[in-house]
CSV table of all heavy atoms in Angstrom, one decimal:
chain,number,residue,atom,x,y,z
A,94,VAL,N,0.2,-10.6,-4.6
A,94,VAL,CA,-1.0,-9.8,-4.3
A,94,VAL,C,-1.0,-8.6,-5.1
A,94,VAL,O,-2.0,-8.2,-5.8
A,94,VAL,CB,-1.0,-9.5,-2.8
A,94,VAL,CG1,-2.2,-8.4,-2.5
A,94,VAL,CG2,-1.4,-10.7,-1.9
A,95,LEU,N,0.1,-7.8,-5.1
A,95,LEU,CA,0.2,-6.6,-5.9
A,95,LEU,C,0.1,-6.8,-7.4
A,95,LEU,O,-0.7,-6.1,-8.1
A,95,LEU,CB,1.5,-5.8,-5.6
A,95,LEU,CG,1.6,-5.3,-4.1
A,95,LEU,CD1,3.0,-4.7,-3.9
A,95,LEU,CD2,0.5,-4.3,-3.8
A,96,ALA,N,0.8,-7.8,-7.9
A,96,ALA,CA,0.7,-8.1,-9.3
A,96,ALA,C,-0.7,-8.5,-9.7
A,96,ALA,O,-1.2,-8.2,-10.8
A,96,ALA,CB,1.7,-9.2,-9.7
A,97,GLY,N,-1.3,-9.3,-8.9
A,97,GLY,CA,-2.7,-9.8,-9.2
A,97,GLY,C,-3.7,-8.6,-9.2
A,97,GLY,O,-4.6,-8.6,-10.0
A,98,LEU,N,-3.6,-7.8,-8.2
A,98,LEU,CA,-4.5,-6.6,-8.1
A,98,LEU,C,-4.4,-5.7,-9.3
A,98,LEU,O,-5.3,-5.1,-9.8
A,98,LEU,CB,-4.4,-5.9,-6.8
A,98,LEU,CG,-4.8,-6.6,-5.5
A,98,LEU,CD1,-4.5,-5.8,-4.3
A,98,LEU,CD2,-6.3,-6.9,-5.6
A,99,LEU,N,-3.1,-5.5,-9.7
A,99,LEU,CA,-2.9,-4.5,-10.8
A,99,LEU,C,-3.1,-5.1,-12.2
A,99,LEU,O,-3.1,-4.3,-13.2
A,99,LEU,CB,-1.4,-4.1,-10.7
A,99,LEU,CG,-1.0,-3.2,-9.5
A,99,LEU,CD1,0.5,-3.0,-9.4
A,99,LEU,CD2,-1.8,-1.9,-9.5
A,100,SER,N,-3.3,-6.4,-12.3
A,100,SER,CA,-3.4,-7.0,-13.7
A,100,SER,C,-4.8,-7.4,-14.0
A,100,SER,O,-5.7,-7.7,-13.1
A,100,SER,CB,-2.6,-8.3,-13.7
A,100,SER,OG,-1.2,-8.0,-13.4
A,101,ARG,N,-5.2,-7.4,-15.3
A,101,ARG,CA,-6.5,-7.9,-15.7
A,101,ARG,C,-6.5,-9.4,-15.5
A,101,ARG,O,-5.5,-10.1,-15.9
A,101,ARG,CB,-6.7,-7.6,-17.2
A,101,ARG,CG,-6.9,-6.1,-17.5
A,101,ARG,CD,-7.4,-5.8,-18.9
A,101,ARG,NE,-7.7,-4.5,-19.2
A,101,ARG,CZ,-6.9,-3.5,-19.6
A,101,ARG,NH1,-5.6,-3.9,-19.8
A,101,ARG,NH2,-7.2,-2.3,-19.8
A,102,ASN,N,-7.6,-9.9,-15.0
A,102,ASN,CA,-7.7,-11.3,-14.8
A,102,ASN,C,-9.2,-11.7,-14.8
A,102,ASN,O,-10.0,-11.4,-13.9
A,102,ASN,CB,-7.1,-11.6,-13.4
A,102,ASN,CG,-7.0,-13.1,-13.1
A,102,ASN,OD1,-7.6,-13.9,-13.8
A,102,ASN,ND2,-6.3,-13.5,-12.1
A,103,PRO,N,-9.6,-12.5,-15.9
A,103,PRO,CA,-11.0,-12.9,-15.9
A,103,PRO,C,-11.3,-14.1,-15.0
A,103,PRO,O,-12.5,-14.5,-15.0
A,103,PRO,CB,-11.1,-13.4,-17.4
A,103,PRO,CG,-9.7,-13.8,-17.7
A,103,PRO,CD,-8.8,-13.0,-17.0
A,104,PHE,N,-10.3,-14.6,-14.3
A,104,PHE,CA,-10.5,-15.9,-13.5
A,104,PHE,C,-10.6,-15.6,-12.0
A,104,PHE,O,-11.2,-16.5,-11.3
A,104,PHE,CB,-9.4,-16.9,-13.8
A,104,PHE,CG,-9.2,-17.2,-15.2
A,104,PHE,CD1,-8.1,-16.7,-15.9
A,104,PHE,CD2,-10.1,-18.0,-15.9
A,104,PHE,CE1,-7.8,-16.9,-17.2
A,104,PHE,CE2,-9.9,-18.2,-17.3
A,104,PHE,CZ,-8.7,-17.7,-17.9
A,105,SER,N,-10.1,-14.5,-11.5
A,105,SER,CA,-10.0,-14.4,-10.1
A,105,SER,C,-10.0,-12.9,-9.7
A,105,SER,O,-10.3,-12.0,-10.4
A,105,SER,CB,-8.7,-15.1,-9.6
A,105,SER,OG,-8.7,-15.2,-8.2
A,106,THR,N,-9.6,-12.7,-8.4
A,106,THR,CA,-9.6,-11.3,-7.8
A,106,THR,C,-8.7,-10.4,-8.5
A,106,THR,O,-7.5,-10.7,-8.7
A,106,THR,CB,-9.2,-11.4,-6.3
A,106,THR,OG1,-10.1,-12.4,-5.7
A,106,THR,CG2,-9.3,-10.1,-5.6
A,107,THR,N,-9.2,-9.2,-8.8
A,107,THR,CA,-8.3,-8.1,-9.4
A,107,THR,C,-9.0,-6.8,-9.1
A,107,THR,O,-10.2,-6.7,-8.9
A,107,THR,CB,-8.2,-8.4,-10.9
A,107,THR,OG1,-7.4,-7.3,-11.5
A,107,THR,CG2,-9.5,-8.4,-11.6
A,108,ALA,N,-8.2,-5.7,-9.2
A,108,ALA,CA,-8.7,-4.4,-9.0
A,108,ALA,C,-8.9,-3.7,-10.4
A,108,ALA,O,-9.5,-2.6,-10.5
A,108,ALA,CB,-7.7,-3.5,-8.2
A,109,ARG,N,-8.5,-4.4,-11.5
A,109,ARG,CA,-8.7,-3.9,-12.8
A,109,ARG,C,-10.1,-4.1,-13.4
A,109,ARG,O,-10.7,-5.3,-13.1
A,109,ARG,CB,-7.6,-4.4,-13.8
A,109,ARG,CG,-6.2,-4.1,-13.5
A,109,ARG,CD,-5.9,-2.6,-13.8
A,109,ARG,NE,-6.0,-2.4,-15.2
A,109,ARG,CZ,-5.0,-2.6,-16.1
A,109,ARG,NH1,-3.9,-3.0,-15.7
A,109,ARG,NH2,-5.2,-2.3,-17.4
Side-chain angles (χ1 to χ4, degrees):
V94 169
L95 293 178
L98 289 175
L99 294 171
S100 301
R101 290 188 176 90
N102 188 349
F104 307 106
S105 193
T106 304
T107 179
R109 294 287 296 272

